[in-house]
Amino acid sequence: MTAQLLTGAAEPTTDRTVVGENLSLPLFRSLSGVLAGHPYLKVVVDRAEHTWHLLDTAAHPFHVDYIATRVLGMELTALDADLDAFNASVYMDPGRRFLLGVLSLHTEQEADSRERTFLVLETTEADTMHGELLDSFYEFVRARVDGRLPLLLKPANHGQEEALAAISELRVPRILSHELFGSRARTPLNVGEATGRLRFFRTREEYAAAEAGLGWADIVAMPCLPDDVPRVAGFLNTAPITPLSHTNVLASGWGIPNAIVRDLPQLVEKDGLDGAWVRYRVREDEISLERLDHEPTLRAPAWHQQRIRLEPPLLEDAPVLALHRLRSTDRDRYGTKAANLGELHHVLDSRTADLSAFYGRPRPPRADLYGHLAARLGLSAPTAGELRTRAAEFVAGAVDAPEGVALPFALQQRFLASSPALQQGIGKLKMALELDATDVLDSLCLQLQNLIRHTPVPEAVSRQIGQAFPAAAASRGRLVVRSSSNAEDLPGFSAAGVYDSVVTVRGTGELLDAVRQVWASLVSPRSVRLRHQVGISLDDTYMGVIIQEYVPASLGGVLVTCNPTRREDFRNVYLNCSPGSPEQVVDGSVLPQQYLYNTVEGGGRTVALGSWGDGLPAATRARLADLSLTGRLLQSHFSGADVDRPLDIEWLMTERGDFRLVQIRPYAL
């Protein structure tokens, strides 16, 4: 049995493109391909000839190639040599000759259970059609499409949404992207393939009862997986989540398939999938779940052999330092998170880093994207030095780095060494790990955590913390205490959501309690197991701590400098946000608003409104576009030699309207 949830299209053998014909449903189906489960057809309107071209999707994957070679008689080499200028002439010129778009076929269930079929017309995301062109495009297509099929125009970006606002919906019926796909039944989140046993849980209670028995060969399916889910073969969500949730960050980091399949309960019941062995595949345009008729012979997954190497932690006395005094090289004393924030301070303050390197990477047939970056920054034909300078100025003007102090590993080491009971507990845990005594591991971890939380902090250690963050500052209001281990925010081991942060700290007494809670999270059962699986020794693992004054936020969220559901997309970055702090986005307590922003040609579009009925004001969305470009520019510096390696950035907008970045780490692909 194969539950083929989304499918691809067969390749036709001949080019069946037609010119000038009216479009019937049979003709549409004969020419169309399938993308994300929906038949689609590329169209080109030639305003000069007052005709249109219906492209055979398999024969002509790109509009511009067809126009250049089949309509204008150009050679592909000539097109490639001047591709950006040609794209600008067909996507951005207000007086353009050609209007380019896609028609897709959709079916929805009506209240009386009948199916309604309709067509959707849209342009590419970078298209800057003004209202008059959108109106003309819709009317041209409407007059040539079977009148029995409703036709809706879907604006491809925020600029088109605003242009359409002045046009009556009676004249140009429309549908927004989040309206069309917000209730989508099946959504790929992380591509991958797994063979394993499907474990389906309808409630958290069912999951909790079976959690201890879950293993690496299981594929866990439930409405919304908990953040502390163990490392398994695959995830399936039956309720909507964001691609930037902790569980999907874990799926990405672990390289396991993850998807939303809202009708999975019906499939499970119909085909008896709960407890069955299945082959589970997630692709960008396909999700499949195949039941196997026998238990397969499985090898241990690749991550059983994965080994993460840590730089040796430096435990000699080091001072409590303000974040702005740290650099990335301090991660072996203060932890990766604190070191990255210190590096951010340096980038913003010095303005000497080259933040243009991502745009210098060849994107064939383009030698580079420097011209696009110059356009985004408002420059005309700048020198390389001018472009770098303007990029650094743009980032420094767009965001701030958080203030605060960082506690070094040395303070944790002095605390642990101060208590014989703690040393004995650590020794027992190390022995259990060496013997792989998994049956006692959790109880030893919990006992050790309890000891850490209740062991008095030596006076010398508490005094050092108090001097760096005096009582006067602590008493002014709420503090935030965050983890900064040397075993998090690493390529291949993000540890997203694994260690504790405490965001409701008031006064110096609560501060010491919060620091001990963060230290204790280093030996939680889950964190110890995850590190042990990838060969990170307890001896090499230490916890630094970041202490900051709480900053109220009007908006907060997460930005990743890639498109998580389309890995080859070098244009877009993905941004999630919700009113308040970023924690609501990553912990799954709300469904955030979701946006894609194009950092090459510009523009953005709304993917989903989440738990909110209304989108953000246009002015706020424009500011988020600047934040997205800032994240892309920072990628050039923080990704090191591989400038295509994306970043995961937590951010907030203060009540004054300033952007503050509170965490920067690699985003696992």
Side-chain angles (χ1 to χ4, degrees):
M1 185 282 301
T2 300
Q4 195 70 28
L5 305 180
L6 302 178
T7 59
E11 293 280 337
T13 56
T14 58
D15 180 0
R16 294 171 291 182
T17 295
V18 298
V19 181
E21 292 187 22
N22 287 348
L23 182 63
S24 64
L25 195 54
L27 179 59
F28 177 94
R29 294 190 184 279
S30 71
L31 298 174
S32 64
V34 177
L35 182 64
H38 299 288
Y40 78 103
L41 172 67
K42 290 182 171 65
V43 301
V44 174
V45 171
D46 186 340
R47 301 171 72 201
E49 299 293 333
H50 199 67
T51 191
W52 70 337
H53 303 246
L54 307 175
L55 276 56
D56 184 333
T57 302
H60 301 289
F62 301 107
H63 288 93
V64 292
D65 286 5
Y66 175 83
I67 294 170
T69 60
R70 297 290 294 273
V71 180
L72 301 179
M74 295 173 59
E75 296 291 335
L76 274 178
T77 52
L79 172 64
D80 289 347
D82 204 18
L83 181 60
D84 288 330
F86 191 89
N87 280 339
S89 73
V90 295
Y91 291 123
M92 300 172 190
D93 184 349
R96 68 192 76 171
R97 171 181 171 181
F98 300 103
L99 305 179
L100 284 56
V102 171
L103 277 167
S104 55
L105 187 66
H106 299 260
T107 302
E108 67 179 7
Q109 200 87 8
E110 296 188 314
D112 58 3
S113 298
R114 289 186 300 177
E115 287 190 342
R116 170 179 177 254
T117 301
F118 60 98
L119 288 169
V120 172
L121 175 66
E122 62 182 305
T123 71
T124 68
E125 65 188 44
D127 200 298
T128 60
M129 280 192 200
H130 52 69
E132 184 180 343
L133 277 182
L134 289 167
D135 186 1
S136 175
F137 191 29
Y138 176 84
E139 286 299 317
F140 191 100
V141 174
R142 172 71 280 176
R144 290 160 178 79
V145 170
D146 188 335
R148 293 170 294 181
L149 285 174
L151 176 66
L152 304 177
L153 180 67
K154 181 167 80 68
N157 50 53
H158 293 145
Q160 289 188 5
E161 288 180 27
E162 293 162 18
L164 281 172
I167 300 173
S168 167
E169 291 198 39
L170 294 176
R171 179 176 177 83
V172 181
R174 68 206 64 168
I175 188 168
L176 301 181
S177 179
H178 64 268
E179 295 171 334
L180 186 61
F181 298 116
S183 59
R184 187 173 168 183
R186 298 145 191 156
T187 304
L189 292 173
N190 195 64
V191 298
E193 181 175 332
T195 299
R197 183 179 54 162
L198 185 69
R199 305 292 304 277
F200 178 61
F201 306 106
R202 290 173 175 79
T203 65
R204 283 289 185 102
E205 290 74 21
E206 287 184 9
Y207 168 84
E211 180 181 7
L214 294 176
W216 58 263
D218 289 323
I219 297 168
V220 180
M222 59 187 298
C224 185
L225 285 91
D227 284 351
D228 61 355
V229 63
R231 197 162 187 174
V232 292
F235 295 158
L236 272 161
N237 303 268
T238 61
I241 66 165
T242 165
L244 303 189
S245 65
H246 270 149
T247 51
N248 198 50
V249 172
L250 290 174
S252 180
W254 294 342
I256 63 174
N258 188 19
I260 301 168
V261 181
R262 298 174 73 171
D263 58 348
L264 183 66
Q266 291 77 25
L267 291 172
V268 167
E269 183 174 350
K270 173 177 174 289
D271 298 314
L273 295 179
D274 188 18
W277 291 94
V278 299
R279 184 170 291 112
Y280 171 40
R281 295 186 180 94
V282 177
R283 299 289 182 264
E284 291 176 356
D285 60 352
E286 178 185 10
I287 302 170
S288 64
L289 198 60
E290 177 187 356
R291 178 168 180 163
L292 305 178
D293 56 10
H294 62 279
E295 181 177 339
T297 302
L298 298 178
R299 295 182 182 177
W303 54 263
H304 266 240
Q305 288 77 45
Q306 180 187 18
R307 289 297 178 262
I308 301 295
R309 295 189 178 276
L310 297 183
E311 297 177 11
L314 300 181
L315 303 176
E316 72 273 11
D317 278 343
V320 178
L321 286 181
L323 288 174
H324 69 262
R325 296 182 61 186
L326 300 182
R327 295 292 301 274
S328 60
T329 50
D330 290 312
R331 58 183 174 271
D332 51 6
R333 291 181 176 86
Y334 296 88
T336 314
K337 190 180 298 180
N340 283 348
L341 290 178
E343 187 70 17
L344 176 63
H345 273 281
H346 170 74
V347 169
L348 299 182
D349 294 342
S350 71
R351 305 189 184 187
T352 58
D354 180 7
L355 304 183
S356 66
F358 174 87
Y359 291 85
R361 177 68 61 89
R363 311 287 174 183
R366 305 167 182 84
D368 57 62
L369 299 174
Y370 284 138
H372 289 282
L373 176 58
R376 302 282 69 76
L377 297 176
L379 298 177
S380 177
T383 65
E386 290 170 339
L387 191 61
R388 288 195 297 269
T389 298
R390 177 63 188 127
E393 291 173 346
F394 179 87
V395 169
V399 298
D400 295 322
E403 301 296 335
V405 299
L407 310 187
F409 299 158
L411 287 187
Q412 184 206 19
Q413 171 65 6
R414 287 166 60 188
F415 167 72
L416 295 175
S418 71
S419 166
L422 286 175
Q423 290 299 300
Q424 185 180 32
I426 293 170
K428 289 180 179 178
L429 181 56
K430 288 179 181 177
M431 181 64 70
L433 290 169
E434 289 174 7
L435 298 175
D436 204 22
T438 56
D439 55 331
V440 299
L441 197 62
D442 287 7
S443 62
L444 290 174
C445 287
L446 292 172
Q447 291 170 20
L448 183 53
Q449 281 192 287
N450 188 59
L451 273 174
I452 292 172
R453 292 192 188 103
H454 294 95
T455 297
V457 178
E459 182 181 351
V461 174
S462 60
R463 184 171 61 249
Q464 195 169 351
I465 296 173
Q467 288 172 347
F469 215 96
S475 64
R476 285 201 296 265
R478 179 173 157 187
L479 300 176
V480 177
V481 179
R482 301 183 184 276
S483 66
S484 182
S485 170
N486 63 336
E488 65 179 319
D489 297 352
L490 304 173
F493 192 77
S494 74
V498 170
Y499 304 121
D500 285 354
S501 291
V502 187
V503 298
T504 56
V505 179
R506 296 185 184 275
T508 52
E510 290 187 12
L511 175 59
L512 291 179
D513 289 342
V515 170
R516 283 181 295 194
Q517 180 176 334
V518 173
W519 282 340
S521 68
L522 193 69
V523 291
S524 70
R526 183 172 184 239
S527 69
V528 169
R529 286 179 182 276
L530 289 175
R531 292 194 306 269
H532 185 59
Q533 288 169 351
V534 297
I536 298 177
S537 168
L538 188 62
D539 284 327
D540 293 335
T541 310
Y542 281 85
M543 180 65 76
V545 178
I546 299 170
I547 305 172
Q548 301 165 287
E549 290 189 57
Y550 172 76
V551 178
S554 60
L555 197 66
V558 181
L559 164 73
V560 294
T561 58
C562 66
N563 182 347
T565 60
R566 286 189 60 207
R567 301 302 171 83
E568 77 282 0
D569 180 2
F570 60 84
R571 290 175 163 82
N572 287 288
V573 302
Y574 199 91
L575 184 146
N576 281 7
C577 63
S578 66
S581 73
E583 280 80 6
Q584 294 184 94
V585 171
V586 296
D587 68 12
S589 60
V590 299
L591 284 175
Q593 297 191 13
Q594 303 173 41
Y595 299 92
L596 279 169
Y597 285 97
N598 185 326
T599 59
V600 177
E601 289 89 3
R605 62 189 190 274
T606 303
V607 177
L609 294 182
S611 300
W612 288 267
D614 296 323
L616 295 170
T620 304
R621 295 199 308 254
R623 296 207 57 209
L624 292 179
D626 289 344
L627 175 65
S628 299
L629 179 57
T630 296
R632 176 69 84 201
L633 293 170
L634 289 172
Q635 179 178 335
S636 294
H637 180 75
F638 281 90
S639 294
D642 182 7
V643 296
D644 276 338
R645 188 166 56 118
L647 300 180
D648 175 336
I649 300 173
E650 287 188 22
W651 59 272
L652 57 84
M653 178 187 282
T654 70
E655 292 180 339
R656 296 185 306 173
D658 302 323
F659 283 121
R660 185 166 298 184
L661 308 188
V662 296
Q663 182 167 318
I664 296 181
R665 60 186 173 193
Y667 180 72
L669 285 178

